Amino acid sequence: MILGHELYGRGADGVIVMHDFYGCRDTWAFARQFFDVDRHTYAFAEIRGYGESKNLPGEYTPREAAADILHLADNLGWQRFHVVGHSLSGMLAQRVVLDGGARVKSAVLTTPVAASGLSFSPEGFKLIEGSIDSDELLGQAFAALTGNRLGPEWERFKIRQQRASRNRLANHAYLKSSVEQGFLDEMRGNRTPMLVIVGEFDMEPFTEATARDTFLQWYPHAELAVCRNAGHYPQQEAPVYVAAVINEFLGRQRA
């Protein structure tokens, strides 16, 4: 079983890119137009329960997702590679770093869930859980995650994108496993180079202050980029900037 994926680029350096809890590989469609395709080849992967992998059964856990990504790398012939995760898959990418060991050259974590597990206020959890089935709550979630500043057209666009791409049962299972199956004790102190990207208008626990108190304290080779004029979806809200930051970071790992 190989995850659904799309290859993009012609470079020798492999990069596996994942999507968020609400999305699919299309969430990278804006930003990827500005990716460095001469030095890198990108595999935009869809985890079980989403997109071309929507009907793949599974347990929908971080450990399973990491194994799937490593298997995809094997299938692509990539002994070593970079990994990019967004939100939920930021947590999954950290699991890939942990389980892949020296195979993982670096990680880009965009508005990531921490290795300690997903944490929200009780009200936040109620909103996210309810948004799996309610379009009204899903629109509220997208508004809250982007600072209530992008308007109803944005919310409707994201609702259409999410509903077309995901398996409802997988959503519920990933939410549960991301809360209950943290692995920070195993991950703390990991020396893999990591770039953490946060959005200026994101909500807790995805803010700049929290990232500095967590990721930058846990990982000695982590660095932080703050995307201005963006919330939880910087690759859609400020795609050119996000692509430039990722290009620069990956370029330094080659050196």
Side-chain angles (χ1 to χ4, degrees):
M1 186 281 300
I2 303 297
L3 294 177
H5 63 280
E6 179 187 4
L7 293 179
Y8 181 77
R10 51 187 173 272
D13 215 14
V15 185
I16 297 180
V17 184
M18 294 180 285
H19 54 84
D20 69 299
F21 177 74
Y22 287 127
C24 61
R25 68 186 184 223
D26 287 352
T27 59
W28 291 97
F30 300 159
R32 79 178 203 172
Q33 298 177 74
F34 309 99
F35 280 3
D36 181 352
V37 295
D38 293 319
R39 292 191 293 181
H40 301 98
T41 295
Y42 305 85
F44 290 89
E46 292 172 316
I47 62 175
R48 297 185 195 222
Y50 293 85
E52 290 184 7
S53 306
K54 182 165 64 175
N55 296 319
L56 294 179
E59 298 178 355
Y60 311 113
T61 65
R63 190 182 296 273
E64 177 186 74
D68 287 343
I69 292 299
L70 292 168
H71 185 48
L72 174 59
D74 291 340
N75 184 260
L76 293 170
W78 294 353
Q79 178 56 35
R80 301 193 70 220
F81 60 97
H82 309 272
V83 63
V84 178
H86 172 219
S87 192
L88 167 68
S89 71
M91 182 182 185
L92 307 184
Q94 290 166 82
R95 189 77 220 189
V96 174
V97 169
L98 179 61
D99 294 348
R103 293 192 66 183
V104 183
K105 297 179 181 181
S106 73
V108 177
L109 311 176
T110 305
T111 63
V113 173
S116 54
L118 180 63
S119 62
F120 273 120
S121 66
E123 296 78 14
F125 272 117
K126 185 176 180 180
L127 176 61
I128 299 303
E129 185 173 30
S131 71
I132 295 173
D133 299 304
S134 165
D135 283 359
E136 180 181 357
L137 293 180
L138 183 57
Q140 292 177 24
F142 286 130
L145 286 165
T146 50
N148 295 291
R149 47 185 256 288
L150 297 181
E153 291 77 16
W154 160 259
E155 295 165 29
R156 289 194 290 267
F157 166 75
K158 291 297 293 179
I159 289 170
R160 291 194 302 272
Q161 190 175 59
Q162 199 271 350
R163 294 307 192 215
S165 67
R166 60 88 205 214
N167 177 311
R168 173 181 166 276
L169 295 179
N171 266 177
H172 281 289
Y174 279 123
L175 181 60
K176 186 174 189 292
S177 68
S178 68
V179 172
E180 298 177 353
Q181 298 186 26
F183 46 90
L184 179 59
D185 288 347
E186 299 173 80
M187 188 66 185
R188 191 192 300 268
N190 190 285
R191 301 184 68 83
T192 302
M194 299 187 206
L195 171 64
V196 181
I197 303 174
V198 298
E200 176 184 10
F201 294 103
D202 209 341
M203 63 187 292
E204 288 291 354
F206 306 110
T207 63
E208 176 183 358
T210 296
R212 291 190 183 280
D213 289 341
T214 54
F215 293 95
L216 268 60
Q217 300 302 313
W218 297 339
Y219 306 138
H221 291 166
E223 55 191 85
L224 181 67
V226 180
C227 185
R228 304 300 176 190
N229 199 30
H232 198 65
Y233 291 87
Q235 73 270 43
Q236 290 183 297
E237 299 172 75
V240 182
Y241 174 79
V242 168
V245 168
I246 292 175
N247 289 343
E248 192 275 335
F249 175 76
L250 293 179
R252 281 191 280 119
Q253 309 320 308
R254 289 173 54 89

